[in-house]
Amino acid sequence: MEFKAAVLSKVEAHLEIHDVEMTGLKSNDVLVRNHASGLCHTDFEVIHGSLRFPLPIVLGHEASGVVEDVGDAVTLVKPGDHAVCSWNPNCGHCFYCDQDLPILCEPFSRHVPAGFLMDGTSRLRIGGETLYHFSMVCSHAEYCVVDESSAIPVPSEIPFDRACLIGCGVMTGVGAVLRVACTRPGTSVVVIGCGAVGLNAIQGARLAGAEPIVAVDIHQEKLVMATAFGATHTALAGRDDVPSVVQGLTRGRGADHVIEAAGIDNTLQLSFDVSRPGANVILLGKTDVTSEVHIRWGSMMGERRIVRSSYGGGRPRRDFPLLARLYLDGRLMLDELITRRISLDEINDGFADMAKGSLVRAVVQMN
């Protein structure tokens, strides 16, 4: 079959809308007709070369849609199901899956950097040549083909443009607080960086009953949003003495849990400076994968637990339906994350807005 997709052919270039070809489904494949696809900063990193993938490639990994067809061995979804796509399929039986770390699934880790699906091959072609898959989803397209472990059924009542956000930014931020830090009611949380992931970490802290919840950013307007998502206090980095603010709210000890969601060298140091001895420091932000970071060694002492998390400890089959229900129950904020809705043809405008820092999330809505 053929369908339209946004293709990146070289670094620092615009995405181009092409008619691409998909080969036939294999036994464990699921074909999803995409209805919505969120623009994530990870896509932006591939476009600008700080995250390296083979080209040409179809970007996008934050998707929701309707299952159109399934391979003959698929049992977890059926045609007609509404689904959110997970960018972390897993085999369920390798060494890391057996260690309850599906994020490190060996077939996934082996094939995702090569731009393939779980069997080490591509289903996409352009001009007769191989077209690569990004994060095993490729959602900036009218259709995507994913492994069945990526296709997660969710209630049909949740709108597609809200549901797609669950697939990456929401799971990463909320999960960091609930699943990785295991935040308990009454414990203190500091979130550094109030973009999409940081705002979701803040509402994860609100759902956990944390107190206080301190939002830190360099932009005042983001701190206003953070308050709407559940921050009880804010600190404007560059103006406020952030460690002193946090100590003043925590009886001089520092925060129980610090979520770093900015990905800048000096915010890594700040994460340790605002944490108490014995704290959880959860690193979500990213920078160029070849960059070196510099941390004052003494700030990491005191039995701090430092964890780098890429998906907030998410188990999509468990967590995506839960997050969808929290939204439908009015407890999870998704509408407020969407800054702009665009068509597939406008995708480069969406990434241009991302470069300006004027977006929380843009969502591509398919016809």
Side-chain angles (χ1 to χ4, degrees):
M1 64 178 292
E2 287 190 350
F3 55 88
K4 293 189 181 299
V7 178
L8 179 70
S9 296
K10 61 182 181 179
V11 172
E12 298 285 6
H14 280 170
L15 278 69
E16 298 178 337
I17 308 303
H18 288 288
D19 290 321
V20 303
E21 180 184 354
M22 191 196 78
T23 60
L25 295 182
K26 296 189 179 182
S27 294
N28 294 106
D29 288 348
V30 174
L31 177 66
V32 177
R33 181 179 181 184
N34 294 323
H35 283 255
S37 180
L39 272 60
C40 179
H41 200 274
T42 308
D43 303 326
F44 186 81
E45 293 166 16
V46 180
I47 293 171
H48 293 284
S50 61
L51 184 62
R52 294 157 183 80
F53 273 80
L55 303 175
I57 195 167
V58 178
L59 297 180
H61 59 284
E62 198 176 72
S64 65
V66 177
V67 175
E68 287 269 313
D69 198 4
V70 299
D72 58 20
V74 171
T75 61
L76 298 176
V77 289
K78 63 184 183 303
D81 283 347
H82 287 216
V84 172
C85 294
S86 165
W87 56 259
N88 178 218
N90 57 86
C91 70
H93 52 74
C94 70
F95 172 82
Y96 287 107
C97 285
D98 284 345
Q99 302 300 311
D100 200 28
L101 286 169
I103 190 69
L104 300 177
C105 170
E106 290 175 320
F108 169 78
S109 298
R110 181 166 57 250
H111 295 309
V112 74
F116 294 138
L117 294 181
M118 289 288 278
D119 65 350
T121 66
S122 170
R123 306 290 185 275
L124 302 177
R125 300 289 184 271
I126 183 168
E129 302 295 326
T130 298
L131 180 60
Y132 294 100
H133 298 251
F134 179 58
S135 286
M136 299 195 180
V137 176
C138 300
S139 60
H140 297 333
E142 293 175 325
Y143 290 85
C144 64
V145 57
V146 298
D147 185 84
E148 73 167 323
S149 62
S150 283
I152 312 300
V154 295
S156 60
E157 294 88 350
I158 183 170
F160 292 112
D161 59 344
R162 267 56 58 92
C164 72
L165 305 177
I166 292 172
C168 185
V170 175
M171 181 71 256
T172 301
V174 174
V177 176
L178 298 183
R179 301 299 191 191
V180 181
C182 299
T183 302
R184 298 190 302 271
T187 53
S188 55
V189 174
V190 173
V191 177
I192 300 173
C194 298
V197 171
L199 290 173
N200 281 296
I202 288 166
Q203 66 174 333
R206 171 177 53 79
L207 290 167
E211 173 69 31
I213 303 169
V214 185
V216 181
D217 204 282
I218 60 173
H219 299 293
Q220 184 63 46
E221 62 271 21
K222 290 188 176 181
L223 296 179
V224 172
M225 285 195 71
T227 301
F229 275 75
T232 60
H233 300 80
T234 63
L236 186 64
R239 183 197 69 183
D240 299 330
D241 182 344
V242 178
S244 293
V245 170
V246 174
Q247 289 172 5
L249 295 168
T250 59
R251 300 182 180 180
R253 287 190 293 266
D256 299 311
H257 308 289
V258 179
I259 311 297
E260 194 286 321
I264 306 169
D265 195 354
N266 59 2
T267 61
L268 296 178
Q269 182 60 64
L270 181 61
S271 301
F272 298 111
D273 292 342
V274 300
S275 65
R276 66 164 173 80
N280 289 311
V281 179
I282 313 299
L283 306 179
L284 302 180
K286 294 181 293 181
T287 187
D288 190 305
V289 294
T290 64
S291 295
E292 295 183 1
V293 296
H294 303 278
I295 302 297
R296 190 176 71 256
W297 177 257
S299 66
M300 296 191 294
M301 303 295 283
E303 304 303 306
R304 287 169 173 83
R305 292 177 292 278
I306 304 162
V307 179
R308 162 64 195 171
S309 177
S310 295
Y311 214 2
R315 298 298 296 264
R317 199 157 299 278
R318 171 196 66 190
D319 293 326
F320 286 10
L322 170 64
L323 292 167
R325 284 295 176 196
L326 287 172
Y327 169 77
L328 293 171
D329 290 343
R331 299 175 61 197
L332 185 72
M333 298 170 65
L334 298 180
D335 303 62
E336 296 82 359
L337 292 168
I338 302 174
T339 310
R340 183 180 179 188
R341 294 171 174 84
I342 59 178
S343 68
L344 189 61
D345 289 333
E346 298 174 306
I347 193 166
N348 290 302
D349 296 335
F351 281 115
D353 284 347
M354 182 181 290
K356 297 174 187 175
S358 58
L359 293 177
V360 177
R361 267 297 188 265
V363 174
V364 177
Q365 293 185 300
M366 310 299 170
N367 294 329

